[in-house]
Amino acid sequence: MTTVEEHLLPSAEPVCLIDQNGVPHDHPSYRLPTKEALLDGYTQLIRGRRFNDQASALVRQGRLAVYPSSFGQEACQLAATMVLRDSDWLFPTYRDTVSIMSRGVDPIETLTLLRGDWHCGYDPYEHKVAPQATPLATQLPHAVGVAHAARLKGEDTVVMALVGDGGTSEGDFHEALNFAAVFQAPVVFFIQNNEYAISVPLARQSAAPSLAHKGIGYGVPGERADGNDMAGLLAVLGQAVDKARAGEGPQLVEAHTYRVQAHTNADDASRYRQDDEVTPWLDRDPIARLTTYLEQQGWLSSEIRATAEAGAAEVAAQLRDGLMPEPSVDPADLFAHLYASETQQLREQAAFLRDELAREEA
Amino acid sequence: MTHTKISMAQALNQALRDAMTADESVVMFGEDVGALGGVFRITDGLTAEFGEQRCFDTPLAEAGIVGMAVGMAMNGMRPVVEMQFDAFGYPAFEQVVSHVAKMRNRTRGRVQLPMVIRIPYGGGIGGVEHHSDSSESYFAHTPGLTVVTPATVADAYGLLRKAIEFPDPVVFMEPKKLYWAKEEVDLTEAQPEIGKAVVRRDGADATLIAYGPAVPVALEAAEVAAAEGRQLTVVDLRSVAPLDDETVCAAVRRTGRAVVVAEASGFASVSSEIVARVTEKCFHSLAAPVRRVTAFDIPFPPPKLEKYQLPSVDRILDAVDDLQWEDS
Ligand SMILES: Cc1ncc(C[n+]2csc(CCOP(=O)(O)OP(=O)(O)O)c2C)c(N)n1
Ligand SMILES: [Mg+2]
């Protein structure tokens, strides 16, 4: 028996098409992505992991002010952009640097915020990537607005809006889902449930059966996927994007993954969780299982491995070369870009600083 | 006499511990305040000592945290809540402005809200955007709120104890760049009164009026000025709402010149309020217009540029020099 509401509920289990041992599984609603898509996923994962490792190394060397690691969540972040067209939009959080970089944003500009020489380092219009949001869930109503405007303009844009498990507790998350549903805005809300909001475990965030269940109350279909299975993520997110594009309204997807490393380099995870909780997740690594599967299919040629490795080496070198030198900053920038036309008040303050710096130099 | 050398973070932790021991209606909650002990460790060990009922993590929603505190205060408890950083308190703004601030007035005094909202605030720690705001002026502008900010380790302890005992809601602003420096303190000594400023240094030539993170900078400037032959009084406001006009104006009348030092942007702020009041109340004692050293009227800059935004000893000394010591 199917009720009216049933299509709004997620699958009984997170969708998993390739399990942690690399074994493929059939699913009634989702098909395994093509060989090409999986090989592309592999290449991107290798590059994404290297980007993240290199950024983590650079923060330890003091080249970034702070770095929230994506380790273990790369499949989520990459699948989120792989299913998009260039004309679609991405609304990322502070953690989603791998996602941003994979949209084609310059890796150094991706890390400007975290290096601390400016806030948003890239042009959001160039690759249709909104500025990373640090105030949690605040980007979600914006995503709805971009999607709604696209519809009003007759464009078939889809907006991929990222949020963490913790962020789903904020009022803005709920308002965004409701608005999107009422206006049938083409947004895919994608929750990366990594089980933690800094130190606070999921159980303190929500008593719902899953975060994907949060959709039904708003009339938004929810689905859940294994967040470490690139194949399942591509299938689930791909279908969500297709539905949103086809005019079926907003979609909610929860990926179940895990924050393997501390919240940021400044966090000490040993204060709130045991190592033995982390260990099983290392066995569920998104790269290992996809590699196993591709090898078993005989698809992982040495050329593909070499291409992936070269891409990874290139991005790592870009980060090292770009981030090792001290960035040049211009104090005059402080007063730029605050209003469309400069105010007298700010002109005076800029002149004050110029004077002060000139006197210091003299 | 029980002197100990501790940091402001430790003093705040001790104040919470002592308040929770003294009064079992005191409860502490917020984001990451339990097992982690807060991202700044202000609540370190409280859950272990007092149990999960007395110090607990909430879902991640500031409006929910403050709103729940309102209800708990209505029902006989004394909640202390933590906003993780200055700018992350903004989702709770409606609760603070429409309910926390107005409850007593709306109900003709029948409902009181003895609650404390702790907010680590200000820059100087190299934080990326949204981690360095000075949000005190929004709260100070809101009738019904009491806004307090310590500048010393001893005051951090004493003011927080007083804030928790206070019958009205207190926004307790913690200058996060002062969290770690240690001072020798005696926690048993008399605690500062809410609403009363303190003269930190006496000097006959001019008065520096500062609060929170700007106080140590003002004191350092006074030290340098003294070496250069100018004696400065330094007033630490302790409370930015209500303002202690009496202490401020007494100092200004004695010295005839004044500079207000604040880390927040100057436009429509606590610092502009101080200038207005001093001008209104001490006009005939002033030998020069009151000057201000504040942040520029811009969003708080990224880490690599924040040094230009913060009040410095040189800026304070320049402002003092500008106080029309001679006819031009
Ligand atoms: C409105 C708001 N409140 C608090 C914070 C501080 N904060 C930054 S990240 C974080 C945890 C977020 O957890 P989650 O949404 O699960 O994302 P994750 O960090 O796990 O990717 C918190 C509390 C914030 N950035 N914004
Ligand atoms: Mg999380």
Side-chain angles (χ1 to χ4, degrees):
Chain A
M1 192 194 74
T2 56
T3 60
V4 188
E5 296 86 7
E6 204 151 282
H7 79 285
L8 297 174
L9 286 171
S11 303
E13 292 291 326
V15 175
C16 175
L17 299 182
I18 297 178
D19 72 18
Q20 68 186 83
N21 301 315
V23 179
H25 295 275
D26 286 336
H27 193 282
S29 314
Y30 300 97
R31 293 232 313 274
L32 202 63
T34 61
K35 173 183 173 188
E36 288 67 37
L38 291 177
L39 287 174
D40 185 26
Y42 170 83
T43 310
Q44 298 229 30
L45 275 172
I46 298 292
R47 181 158 168 268
R49 171 70 50 91
R50 189 70 63 83
F51 173 93
N52 193 68
D53 285 350
Q54 186 63 63
S56 302
L58 286 162
V59 77
R60 285 193 294 273
Q61 294 163 43
R63 304 316 303 162
L64 297 171
V66 64
Y67 187 68
S69 172
S70 300
F71 190 98
Q73 297 180 224
E74 297 95 337
C76 296
Q77 292 192 25
L78 292 166
T81 58
M82 287 172 69
V83 296
L84 297 182
R85 298 181 184 163
D86 285 351
S87 52
D88 293 334
W89 272 87
L90 177 74
F91 275 73
T93 76
Y94 50 88
R95 193 175 301 288
D96 303 309
T97 45
V98 169
S99 217
I100 296 168
M101 178 277 304
S102 75
R103 271 296 266 179
V105 174
D106 175 82
I108 307 301
E109 290 181 0
T110 299
L111 292 173
T112 300
L113 171 74
L114 302 172
R115 167 147 77 160
D117 45 319
W118 197 252
H119 308 295
C120 181
Y122 49 87
D123 174 357
Y125 290 110
E126 193 182 344
H127 298 282
K128 299 201 158 49
V129 178
Q132 277 172 291
T134 301
L136 297 164
T138 53
Q139 73 280 16
L140 303 178
H142 310 165
V144 177
V146 165
H148 189 52
R151 279 194 89 208
L152 294 179
K153 294 197 294 177
E155 297 163 359
D156 68 351
T157 310
V158 172
V159 179
M160 177 68 67
L162 308 183
V163 66
D165 46 302
T168 66
S169 295
E170 291 282 5
D172 279 0
F173 171 82
H174 299 269
E175 296 185 22
L177 251 74
N178 193 41
F179 270 60
V182 165
F183 294 109
Q184 287 294 288
V187 181
V188 176
F189 295 97
F190 181 32
I191 305 167
Q192 287 175 70
N193 169 10
N194 62 8
E195 293 202 3
Y196 281 94
I198 308 186
S199 71
V200 180
L202 183 66
R204 187 44 64 95
Q205 229 42 265
S206 174
S210 82
L211 298 177
H213 281 80
K214 296 207 172 212
I216 189 168
Y218 301 102
V220 176
E223 182 55 290
R224 49 182 154 174
D226 179 332
N228 291 16
D229 171 23
M230 177 59 104
L233 287 163
L234 286 172
V236 169
L237 288 169
Q239 194 175 100
V241 166
D242 290 347
K243 285 183 175 171
R245 202 182 311 281
E248 291 182 39
Q251 311 288 317
L252 175 65
V253 176
E254 173 193 7
H256 190 194
T257 181
Y258 191 77
R259 201 196 70 213
V260 171
Q261 297 176 347
H263 174 67
T264 67
N265 54 296
D267 177 38
D268 173 7
S270 71
R271 290 178 70 96
Y272 53 83
R273 72 180 185 193
Q274 308 289 321
D275 283 349
D276 60 7
E277 182 190 311
V278 183
T279 320
W281 282 96
L282 297 176
D283 297 333
R284 298 176 195 141
D285 189 77
I287 300 183
R289 70 172 73 180
L290 184 59
T291 307
T292 308
Y293 174 77
L294 293 174
E295 274 169 350
Q296 278 165 3
Q297 298 300 307
W299 292 344
L300 209 51
S301 64
S302 50
E303 289 98 294
I304 286 166
R305 280 180 192 276
T307 311
E309 189 44 48
E314 187 192 353
V315 79
Q318 269 176 303
L319 290 193
R320 283 192 304 270
D321 294 349
L323 296 175
M324 282 316 285
E326 188 56 23
S328 67
V329 288
D330 180 358
D333 280 351
L334 289 173
F335 306 95
H337 317 300
L338 202 47
Y339 298 102
S341 44
E342 212 184 354
T343 63
Q344 182 58 24
Q345 184 174 325
L346 287 185
R347 255 197 298 277
E348 286 168 10
Q349 295 184 13
F352 171 91
L353 180 59
R354 249 196 328 274
D355 255 32
E356 183 180 76
L357 295 173
R359 274 184 291 140
E360 267 171 30
E361 249 167 49
Chain B
M1 290 275 286
T2 45
H3 281 278
T4 41
K5 189 163 185 175
I6 56 172
S7 67
M8 185 180 283
Q10 289 169 313
L12 292 166
N13 180 264
Q14 192 61 47
L16 289 169
R17 206 175 281 275
D18 292 350
M20 290 170 82
T21 305
D23 178 352
E24 64 177 33
S25 68
V26 176
V27 288
M28 172 78 229
F29 54 96
E31 295 158 7
D32 302 288
V33 300
L36 184 64
V39 294
F40 294 107
R41 307 292 186 263
I42 308 302
T43 57
D44 192 16
L46 296 183
T47 302
E49 185 170 339
F50 297 96
E52 164 71 14
Q53 309 283 327
R54 302 277 311 275
C55 177
F56 55 93
D57 290 327
T58 64
L60 215 172
E62 295 75 13
I65 292 169
V66 173
M68 188 161 94
V70 168
M72 290 176 78
M74 284 176 75
N75 202 5
M77 308 207 86
R78 286 184 179 265
V80 181
V81 297
E82 176 175 299
M83 299 287 102
Q84 195 160 82
F85 280 83
D86 29 62
F88 304 144
Y90 300 145
F93 201 64
E94 169 166 45
Q95 287 293 338
V96 175
V97 169
S98 297
H99 297 290
V100 174
K102 292 178 181 163
M103 189 65 87
R104 177 187 290 279
N105 182 252
R106 291 166 65 216
T107 62
R108 293 184 165 273
R110 291 182 182 106
V111 179
Q112 307 191 9
L113 298 178
M115 56 183 278
V116 177
I117 304 174
R118 295 184 31 245
I119 309 181
Y121 82 113
I125 62 157
V128 298
E129 60 176 353
H130 316 295
H131 289 81
S132 301
D133 280 16
S134 289
S135 46
E136 68 274 18
S137 298
Y138 302 127
F139 303 118
H141 185 69
T142 303
L145 296 179
T146 299
V147 185
V148 168
T149 180
T152 66
V153 173
D155 272 12
Y157 179 84
L159 286 171
L160 185 51
R161 289 299 304 272
K162 281 284 162 70
I164 295 171
E165 288 166 7
F166 209 60
D168 280 318
V170 175
V171 179
F172 193 88
M173 311 279 305
E174 302 170 3
K176 61 176 97 80
K177 81 167 180 202
L178 304 184
Y179 268 152
W180 301 286
K182 291 194 172 182
E183 282 170 39
E184 194 86 37
V185 288
D186 175 7
L187 297 182
T188 62
E189 75 188 7
Q191 286 155 10
E193 290 302 317
I194 285 180
K196 289 269 174 272
V198 62
V199 174
R200 293 266 175 229
R201 181 186 175 109
D202 248 323
D205 296 332
T207 299
L208 302 180
I209 304 156
Y211 61 89
V215 172
V217 192
L219 284 169
E220 201 187 328
E223 196 67 39
V224 178
E228 293 171 357
R230 219 169 245 159
Q231 304 306 325
L232 305 182
T233 288
V234 177
V235 177
D236 170 359
L237 292 176
R238 284 175 164 165
S239 296
V240 296
L243 278 171
D244 180 359
D245 290 327
E246 209 179 313
T247 304
V248 169
C249 290
V252 173
R253 289 197 189 99
R254 216 164 46 235
T255 55
R257 289 177 167 84
V259 174
V260 183
V261 188
E263 198 184 292
S265 296
F267 191 80
S269 68
V270 169
S271 68
S272 42
E273 179 64 21
I274 300 166
V275 178
R277 299 172 90 82
V278 167
T279 309
E280 283 165 1
K281 290 170 194 288
C282 313
F283 188 73
H284 293 288
S285 308
L286 286 170
V290 181
R291 294 291 313 264
R292 279 189 293 163
V293 175
T294 67
F296 299 118
D297 296 316
I298 58 173
F300 198 87
K304 302 276 182 200
L305 287 162
E306 78 169 328
K307 65 175 181 220
Y308 302 110
Q309 178 75 340
L310 300 170
S312 64
V313 168
D314 282 345
R315 278 186 195 164
I316 296 171
L317 294 175
D318 285 350
V320 170
D321 280 344
D322 274 353
L323 293 173
Q324 303 183 11
W325 299 90
E326 279 160 26
D327 287 342
S328 53

